[in-house]
């Protein structure tokens, strides 16, 4: 019996010890170590919350310590907010008596939402410090965020709380029509669009050189019937693309710089007209340029489209004349011309290194399932001095319906099509009606495919293989082409070793 009592009290002691939640700690001595001495939160627009950033705090000593206070220097007025090991403290600003065990660490997660008026007017930086302890033991980690002012365009809110809608393809979507004084986008401030910004019928939207447009999720531009879009970018002298017109998402953090599908599309209604696109860089959309208008020829020059979740350019029975276009990383096709139309592309690089096996660089068809009628004539699809390449086995696809015309021709193009086939549509060496001077399955050796740098040098299979008859005098960057010209959108150059 005595043994049972001893066992009972021993078990009780163990249980009570294991439930203990307090620790014998010593006060912090100011010897904390940090994963970084400054936390840089990437650029954000005014009043738009940032991503969450991490700071790790280490206790290298052999003692369990108590940090009397962890706080933001600006206190409850700070535009930063934190969690410390999952605790929210006093509004995410002040934390008292934080325990940190010996040889252990804790995580601090930091966010901000600030206005441009909160920033330093000389450099637009908003700053603060995280303070650990005080007095002689005070340690600080700096916080820095660049706040960018912008013009915000968004749907109005109806009295019932719903958002303003516009109709696109017979569907009501969150959106609004731009007023006359909103139809010119300048380079004075970036623009941030929520929902679809509609260009009213019989109006023209203009984008001046150097303008920047950022789209929130499920947002874009809709060009209505008889409306026009004019993008008037110009040659830039640096990699900052200072004179390009740039369309991208509204998350400015580097983490989001190459994530596809962050926003919707630039949609051109059937009946929209007279579109000119010059020196545009578009990235991270769902569909970059979505054309549904056979009425007028669309002019696209010196334009780059990257990281689109579905298509870089999707054209349904449209008319496009394209020069110096570069497209890469698209989930379905970099260029897809369906349901007929008329197309001419010269000195273009249609590449697709999407990580998959069923995507194409170029897709052509004269049919569309469910349309009335289901076929439309493809009256022209000409590719001159182009590169059609990518990571899939075959990067060129034809979908022909015998009930409508299907006219196409590739002249002096580098093409990837690795499968052996007896299909008469893909006889690249013997079918002179559709294929002339085709370089088949040779690597163009781009400078850096992962960074969408589709430039080539003298070691490329595309070097000096173009036909002088189709030459565009300058490349996508404004560099003068030599004779014979290189294939694709870029004139070759030497790269740094």
């Amino acid at each position: 019996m005595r043994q049972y009592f001893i066992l009972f009290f021993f078990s009780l002691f163990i249980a009570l010890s294991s439930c203990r939640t307090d620790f014998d700690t010593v006060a912090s001595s100011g010897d904390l170590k940090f994963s970084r001495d400054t936390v840089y939160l990437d650029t954000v627009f005014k009043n738009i919350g940032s991503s969450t950033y991490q700071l790790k705090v280490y206790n290298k000593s052999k003692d369990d310590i108590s940090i009397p206070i962890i706080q933001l220097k600006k206190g409850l007025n700070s535009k930063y907010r934190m969690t410390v090991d999952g605790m929210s403290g006093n509004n995410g600003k002040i934390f008292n008596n934080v325990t940190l065990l010996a040889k252990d660490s804790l995580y601090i997660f930091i966010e901000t939402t600030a206005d441009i008026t909160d920033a330093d007017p000389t450099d637009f930086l908003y700053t603060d410090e995280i303070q650990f302890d005080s007095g002689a033991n005070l340690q600080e980690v700096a916080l820095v965020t660049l706040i960018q002012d912008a013009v915000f365009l968004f749907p109005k809110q109806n009295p019932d709380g719903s958002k303003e809608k516009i109709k696109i393809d017979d569907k009501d979507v969150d959106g609004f029509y731009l007023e006359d004084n909103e139809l010119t986008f300048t380079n004075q401030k970036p623009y941030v669009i929520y929902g679809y910004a509609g260009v009213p019928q019989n109006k023209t939207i203009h984008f001046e050189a150097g303008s920047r447009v950022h789209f929130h999720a499920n947002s874009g531009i809709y060009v209505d019937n008889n409306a026009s879009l004019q993008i008037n970018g110009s040659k830039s002298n640096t990699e900052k693309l200072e004179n390009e017109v740039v369309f991208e998402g509204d998350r400015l953090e580097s983490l989001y710089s190459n994530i596809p599908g962050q926003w919707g599309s630039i949609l051109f209604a059937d009946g929209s007209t007279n579109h000119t696109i010059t020196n545009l860089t578009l990235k991270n959309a769902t569909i970059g340029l979505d054309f549904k208008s056979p009425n007028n020829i669309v002019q696209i020059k010196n334009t780059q489209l990257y990281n689109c979740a579905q298509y870089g350019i999707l054209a349904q029975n449209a008319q496009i004349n394209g020069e110096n276009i570069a497209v890469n990383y698209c989930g379905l096709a970099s260029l897809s011309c369906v349901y007929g139309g008329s197309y001419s592309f010269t000195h273009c690089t249609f590449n697709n290194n999407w990580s998959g096996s069923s995507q194409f660089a170029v897709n052509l068809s004269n049919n569309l399932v469910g349309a009335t009628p289901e076929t439309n004539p493809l009256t022209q699809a000409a590719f001159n001095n182009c590169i059609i390449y990518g990571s899939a086995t075959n990067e060129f696809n034809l979908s022909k319906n015998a009930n409508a015309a299907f006219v196409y021709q590739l002249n002096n193009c580098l093409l990837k099509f690795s499968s052996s086939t007896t299909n008469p549509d893909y006889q690249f060496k013997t079918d002179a009606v559709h294929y002339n001077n085709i370089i088949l399955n040779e690597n163009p050796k781009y400078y850096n495919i992962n960074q969408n740098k589709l430039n080539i040098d003298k070691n490329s299979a595309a070097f000096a293989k173009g036909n002088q008859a189709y030459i565009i005098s300058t490349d996508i960057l404004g560099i003068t082409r030599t004779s014979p010209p290189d294939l694709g959108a870029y004139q070759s150059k030497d790269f740094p070793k």
Side-chain angles (χ1 to χ4, degrees):
M1 192 71 173
R2 181 182 177 187
Q3 292 91 336
Y4 288 114
F5 278 112
I6 294 173
L7 181 61
F8 170 76
F9 284 113
F10 182 76
S11 301
L12 181 62
F13 173 78
I14 294 295
L16 291 174
S17 298
S18 64
C19 293
R20 181 179 173 180
T21 58
D22 61 316
F23 298 93
D24 292 328
T25 61
V26 298
S28 171
S29 59
D31 292 325
L32 298 171
K33 304 298 180 184
F34 307 102
S35 56
R36 59 184 83 180
D37 57 10
T38 302
V39 179
Y40 294 97
L41 287 77
D42 285 333
T43 305
V44 296
F45 289 114
K46 65 175 187 177
N47 293 327
I48 293 182
S50 71
S51 292
T52 302
Y53 294 79
Q54 174 186 297
L55 174 70
K56 200 169 183 181
V57 184
Y58 301 94
N59 174 14
K60 300 287 189 178
S61 75
K62 298 179 181 179
D63 297 317
D64 300 336
I65 65 172
S66 177
I67 307 170
I69 190 167
I70 299 176
Q71 66 178 350
L72 293 164
K73 186 174 183 179
K74 294 179 179 178
L76 295 177
N77 294 320
S78 179
K79 299 299 180 180
Y80 292 102
R81 54 193 176 272
M82 306 182 294
T83 61
V84 176
D85 261 7
M87 300 180 293
S88 57
N90 186 351
N91 293 314
K93 319 287 186 182
I94 302 171
F95 301 78
N96 294 301
N97 300 317
V98 178
T99 298
L100 181 51
L101 301 182
K103 304 296 183 180
D104 203 354
S105 61
L106 60 81
Y107 285 93
I108 297 179
F109 295 98
I110 309 119
E111 301 174 329
T112 188
T113 304
D115 194 285
I116 190 68
T117 57
D118 299 315
D120 185 317
T122 62
D123 56 17
F124 304 108
L125 293 176
Y126 181 71
T127 62
D128 202 346
E129 288 83 39
I130 305 176
Q131 295 184 323
F132 299 82
D133 212 329
S134 59
N137 293 329
L138 175 66
Q139 294 179 268
E140 294 181 319
V141 173
L143 304 175
V144 180
T145 308
L146 177 64
I147 311 296
Q148 193 164 1
D149 199 5
V151 176
F152 290 84
L153 300 169
F154 48 87
K156 296 175 183 176
Q157 188 156 324
N158 298 318
D160 63 359
S162 63
K163 290 182 180 178
E164 184 180 4
K165 306 281 186 182
I166 62 173
K167 194 172 288 293
I168 299 178
D169 295 336
D170 296 324
K171 296 179 182 178
D172 290 329
V173 301
D174 290 345
F176 58 98
Y177 279 100
L178 294 162
E179 302 291 338
D180 285 354
N181 63 355
E182 297 173 326
L183 289 170
T184 297
F185 286 61
T186 72
N187 59 12
Q188 299 304 303
K189 291 182 182 180
Y191 295 78
V192 182
I193 294 178
Y194 287 74
Y196 273 84
V199 184
Q201 294 187 19
N202 305 310
K203 298 290 185 178
T204 300
I205 187 170
H206 297 272
F207 296 88
E208 296 181 355
S211 58
R212 300 288 190 263
V213 186
H214 300 265
F215 298 91
H216 195 62
N218 302 314
S219 300
I221 292 173
Y222 175 66
V223 188
D224 209 339
N225 185 44
N226 288 321
S228 301
L229 175 141
Q230 302 289 316
I231 293 178
N232 303 307
S234 61
K235 175 180 174 291
S236 298
N237 296 314
T238 73
E239 289 190 354
K240 293 182 178 180
L241 304 177
E242 65 276 5
N243 296 321
E244 292 261 325
V245 174
V246 178
F247 291 170
E248 59 183 322
D250 66 345
R251 299 312 303 253
L252 305 184
E253 300 91 332
S254 56
L255 173 67
Y256 292 87
S257 60
N258 292 308
I259 295 179
Q262 294 180 46
W263 57 282
S265 178
I266 309 300
L267 294 167
F268 299 83
D270 184 3
S272 64
T273 182
N274 191 31
H275 311 302
T276 300
I277 299 172
T278 304
N279 288 91
L280 167 69
T281 294
L282 182 155
K283 60 181 186 175
N284 304 336
T286 300
I287 299 175
L289 302 173
D290 189 351
F291 296 101
K292 299 175 181 177
S293 178
N295 292 341
N296 287 76
I297 294 178
V298 180
Q299 300 283 344
I300 307 176
K301 297 181 179 180
N302 306 329
T303 290
Q304 307 172 73
L305 303 103
Y306 303 124
N307 307 324
C308 295
Q310 296 181 12
Y311 301 97
I313 300 174
L314 175 61
Q316 297 183 32
N317 192 28
Q319 298 187 58
I320 299 176
N321 184 6
E323 300 175 358
N324 291 334
I325 300 172
V327 191
N328 190 29
Y329 281 116
C330 299
L332 297 176
S334 293
L335 170 69
S336 187
C337 302
V338 301
Y339 203 44
S342 178
Y343 309 95
S344 176
F345 296 102
T346 303
H347 277 293
C348 295
T349 300
F350 296 113
N351 195 81
N352 202 349
N353 264 61
W354 188 270
S355 92
S357 58
S358 58
Q359 73 280 359
F360 299 106
V362 171
N363 175 62
L364 302 176
S365 91
N366 62 353
N367 56 84
L368 186 64
V369 176
T372 305
E374 285 200 351
T375 60
N376 256 330
L378 179 66
T379 59
Q380 176 185 233
F383 296 84
N384 305 309
N385 291 353
C386 291
I387 297 174
I388 300 172
Y389 202 79
S391 57
T393 302
N394 301 322
E395 290 290 352
F396 183 64
N397 185 64
L398 303 174
S399 177
K400 297 169 63 174
N401 189 302
N403 294 324
F406 197 98
V407 180
Y408 65 99
Q409 189 173 60
L410 279 66
N411 300 302
N412 297 80
C413 292
L414 188 157
L415 175 67
K416 185 175 182 182
F417 196 99
S418 299
S419 297
S420 177
T421 178
T422 58
N423 188 323
D425 295 333
Y426 302 107
Q427 301 308 307
F428 306 107
K429 298 297 185 181
T430 59
D431 179 4
V433 174
H434 298 109
Y435 305 105
N436 295 292
N437 298 317
I438 301 300
I439 301 172
L440 197 61
N441 301 322
E442 292 195 31
N443 195 330
K445 296 181 180 178
Y446 301 120
Y447 176 46
N448 191 324
I449 192 66
N450 295 323
Q451 296 180 14
N452 291 315
K453 294 183 177 180
L454 305 181
N455 319 69
I456 62 169
D457 63 14
K458 294 180 180 179
N459 297 310
S460 171
F463 173 71
K465 295 298 193 301
N467 188 326
Q468 187 70 20
Y470 306 118
I471 192 171
I472 305 298
S473 59
T474 57
D475 78 350
I476 192 171
L477 301 176
I479 299 171
T480 301
R481 282 195 167 92
T482 56
S483 180
D486 302 329
L487 303 182
Y490 293 90
Q491 173 65 24
S492 58
K493 64 177 184 179
D494 293 328
F495 299 118
K497 300 285 186 180

